[in-house]
Amino acid sequence: MAEEEEKEVTLLGTWSSPFVLRVKWALRIKGVEYNYVEEDLRNKSPLLLQHNPVHKKVPVLVHKGRAIAESSVILHYIDEVWPLRPLLPHHPYEKAMARFWCKFEADKLSPPLWRVLTTRAEEQREAQASSIESLGLLENELEGKKFFGGQTIGLVDVWLGALAYIIPIYEEITGLKLVDQSKLPRLCGWMEEFLSSPAVEGTLPPKDMLLPRYAAMREAFLAKAKGPAQQ
Amino acid sequence: MAEVVVLLDLWVSPFGQRCRIALAEKGVAYEYKEEYKEEDWTNKSPLLLQSNPVHKKVPVLIHDGKPVCESLIIVQYIYEVWSDGAPLLPADPYARAQARFWGDFVDKKIYECGTRLWKLKGEAQQEAKKELIEILKLLQAELGDKKYFGGDAFGYVDIALVPFCAWFYTYKACGGLSVEAEVPKLAAWGRRCMERESVAKTLYDPLKVYEFVCHLKKKYGIE
């Protein structure tokens, strides 16, 4: 008990959430020790509801008793409070570009990827095409760089990083190719580099738990789309 | 060496207005370029397509030839480059996080819900009205008795939200939502913001915004 109280940082999360992982990676890069609390989102704890009353979601970072929610807000906060090994570039223009690519992922990549997982036929093919188009723009961004942050992992790498393990799972479940090595070689390389980096090692949710989870989500969405009359 | 600043925008866009307000707060001279001539959304200038190839949308700030896209990213950029004078965000990291959180909340919720309110009819519209009232109430609670969301200083959350004040008349006329009645403190905050020159000279007459929306509805056959 006393040992937990010594760490003044607590992270509320779930084992499978890629948003939570972003925060874990950032804290690891910064060398920040923290308590981790696993939440059950079907049965939200009073702690979660107290610390994130607006969205009632994870991740939530609690630092010295004060809560910060939303992964992008948390990442900026972590970068400001623990400034060594910065995630954000220094120059305002580079900062703006980093923020741009994070927003791009949320607006233009995440939604079609989700549709690849949760739809079929024509809709799924369109989602695949849309995802690949967005991935192509990220491929271009990696030109001449090991990571989106340059030589070292930065904000955009932490933001996009979950794709490195989620995309192969989606590909396996749906049988559709998203990151073709011959077409997106830099992105392929980045995925390998990122997953094998010290910040990420040992943090990933186990594939044998994650794959059935996403497969079940796909089944559930497809069943719902069919409608009750056809079940 | 003089800096060249260009803003590609649409007069009625609340996102563009955020940028205009930030530029005015900082006293930055810039060239304003109106996009979508004759309200043709496909009529995008070569400069827009070149500056924002990913989204092909306004606003875009072009600073010495380098484009910055996404309104809240542009606002942060403006304050980081022209850093003299009042800051955009508080100094304390926790307070900054709160400001970013609420700016993100405004960005995710207001435009989408407000659009459903004026666009839809019947039950869907009533649902949107209920949701928007909840959203505005949360914002009013966050504002509390402060002069601005930033406290005494006009800042990030104020800039993110204030352009939507010009849409309050439209919310009432199209959707029956009276901001004054539902969230009077927030309405009062809107009026206080309008006393700032940067806001007053940027926001359009709410009647003009309403005319624009009616025109759009007719154009898309929504009655």
Side-chain angles (χ1 to χ4, degrees):
Chain A
M1 244 333 183
E3 202 180 280
E4 276 179 14
E5 279 158 6
E6 270 168 22
K7 293 183 201 153
E8 53 184 21
V9 180
T10 300
L11 175 63
L12 310 184
T14 57
W15 66 271
S16 58
S17 164
F19 305 96
V20 171
L21 259 184
R22 286 174 180 160
V23 178
K24 283 188 179 173
W25 290 329
L27 290 168
R28 201 190 249 196
I29 289 167
K30 301 286 186 170
V32 175
E33 303 251 299
Y34 61 98
N35 300 312
Y36 176 73
V37 175
E38 178 74 22
E39 284 289 332
D40 178 359
L41 296 182
R42 292 160 305 180
N43 185 15
K44 296 178 185 186
S45 71
L47 192 68
L48 176 60
L49 298 175
Q50 174 204 337
H51 285 316
N52 191 1
V54 174
H55 299 301
K56 307 176 178 62
K57 286 180 181 177
V58 293
V60 178
L61 190 79
V62 186
H63 182 213
K64 296 182 180 174
R66 298 189 302 183
I68 301 116
E70 292 298 305
S71 59
S72 65
V73 179
I74 296 171
L75 292 178
H76 275 79
Y77 178 82
I78 289 171
D79 210 32
E80 285 168 10
V81 172
W82 295 279
L84 280 184
R85 289 177 290 275
L87 295 173
L88 270 163
H90 177 71
H91 191 277
Y93 187 75
E94 309 301 321
K95 252 191 216 170
M97 289 313 296
R99 288 170 177 151
F100 175 84
W101 288 111
C102 292
K103 191 159 198 297
F104 171 79
E105 184 276 339
D107 293 343
K108 295 279 176 155
L109 182 53
S110 209
L113 279 176
W114 182 247
R115 288 197 303 275
V116 167
L117 182 72
T118 57
T119 66
R120 55 155 60 98
E122 184 66 40
E123 199 179 344
Q124 190 190 41
R125 278 191 294 276
E126 274 169 6
Q128 182 192 18
S130 197
S131 301
I132 290 173
E133 193 183 331
S134 291
L135 289 164
L137 292 174
L138 293 176
E139 172 80 11
N140 297 343
E141 263 314 285
L142 278 170
E143 190 176 340
K145 299 197 289 202
K146 184 172 167 187
F147 295 109
F148 290 95
Q151 277 306 108
T152 52
I153 287 175
L155 181 77
V156 180
D157 301 282
V158 169
W159 188 266
L160 296 175
L163 297 175
Y165 71 87
I166 283 179
I167 283 178
I169 289 177
Y170 281 21
E171 287 176 336
E172 196 172 322
I173 292 170
T174 63
L176 292 180
K177 199 71 194 152
L178 292 163
V179 179
D180 182 335
Q181 169 130 41
S182 63
K183 301 206 173 91
L184 303 171
R186 292 185 205 124
L187 209 55
C188 258
W190 169 81
M191 284 161 75
E192 266 180 58
E193 284 283 1
F194 186 80
L195 290 177
S196 58
S197 64
V200 176
E201 227 185 306
T203 61
L204 298 188
K207 186 181 166 184
D208 59 3
M209 282 172 71
L210 210 52
L211 195 140
R213 184 185 167 85
Y214 280 119
M217 276 184 211
R218 176 172 172 75
E219 289 314 304
F221 273 90
L222 292 181
K224 207 161 109 186
K226 259 194 190 143
Q230 293 178 49
Q231 277 182 30
Chain B
M1 191 169 99
E3 292 174 303
V4 179
V5 183
V6 178
L7 182 70
L8 308 182
D9 203 350
L10 170 67
W11 69 273
V12 72
S13 163
F15 306 104
Q17 286 172 341
R18 289 169 174 169
C19 306
R20 283 176 251 161
I21 290 168
L23 288 163
E25 286 283 322
K26 286 292 168 178
V28 176
Y30 66 98
E31 185 188 349
Y32 178 88
K33 286 194 162 154
E34 188 79 35
E35 283 287 333
Y36 313 123
K37 296 270 146 55
E38 329 275 303
E39 282 166 25
D40 177 2
W41 314 124
T42 63
N43 189 356
K44 300 181 188 193
S45 72
L47 184 59
L48 174 59
L49 296 174
Q50 177 201 328
S51 309
N52 190 358
V54 174
H55 301 296
K56 306 176 180 60
K57 283 183 183 172
V58 295
V60 182
L61 185 83
I62 309 175
H63 182 205
D64 286 339
K66 289 174 24 171
V68 183
C69 308
E70 301 293 347
S71 62
L72 291 182
I73 294 177
I74 294 170
V75 169
Q76 289 176 84
Y77 177 81
I78 290 166
Y79 274 76
E80 282 162 10
V81 171
W82 292 277
S83 52
D84 289 342
L88 178 68
L89 292 160
D92 170 63
Y94 179 72
R96 291 164 80 87
Q98 293 312 295
R100 288 200 173 104
F101 175 87
W102 287 105
D104 174 75
F105 179 81
V106 169
D107 214 30
K108 279 192 171 98
K109 301 278 186 182
I110 301 273
Y111 182 77
E112 191 276 329
C113 196
T115 301
R116 276 189 285 131
L117 180 68
W118 66 253
K119 232 185 201 174
L120 304 176
K121 288 264 164 249
E123 212 178 296
Q125 188 185 45
Q126 287 310 305
E127 190 56 48
K129 181 179 172 184
K130 224 173 82 179
E131 274 181 51
L132 191 52
I133 289 171
E134 278 317 299
I135 290 164
L136 294 172
K137 283 191 166 152
L138 277 169
L139 287 165
Q140 179 170 259
E142 176 54 27
L143 176 69
D145 292 314
K146 302 196 298 274
K147 182 177 181 189
Y148 300 116
F149 282 91
D152 288 326
F154 182 77
Y156 187 65
V157 183
D158 306 282
I159 293 177
L161 183 59
V162 79
F164 294 101
C165 292
W167 291 71
F168 291 170
Y169 181 85
T170 299
Y171 296 158
K172 176 139 189 230
C174 292
L177 197 172
S178 164
V179 173
E180 186 65 54
E182 297 288 349
V183 278
K185 275 186 166 173
L186 198 64
W189 160 85
R191 287 192 291 277
R192 275 199 297 282
C193 290
M194 282 298 285
E195 289 165 15
R196 295 185 81 82
E197 201 186 328
S198 66
V199 178
K201 72 178 190 186
T202 300
L203 264 52
Y204 279 80
D205 183 346
L207 280 170
K208 279 210 90 184
V209 176
Y210 177 61
E211 261 171 44
F212 172 80
V213 167
C214 289
H215 179 79
L216 267 189
K217 282 168 82 164
K218 235 185 231 135
K219 187 167 165 176
Y220 294 119
I222 312 162
E223 268 317 332

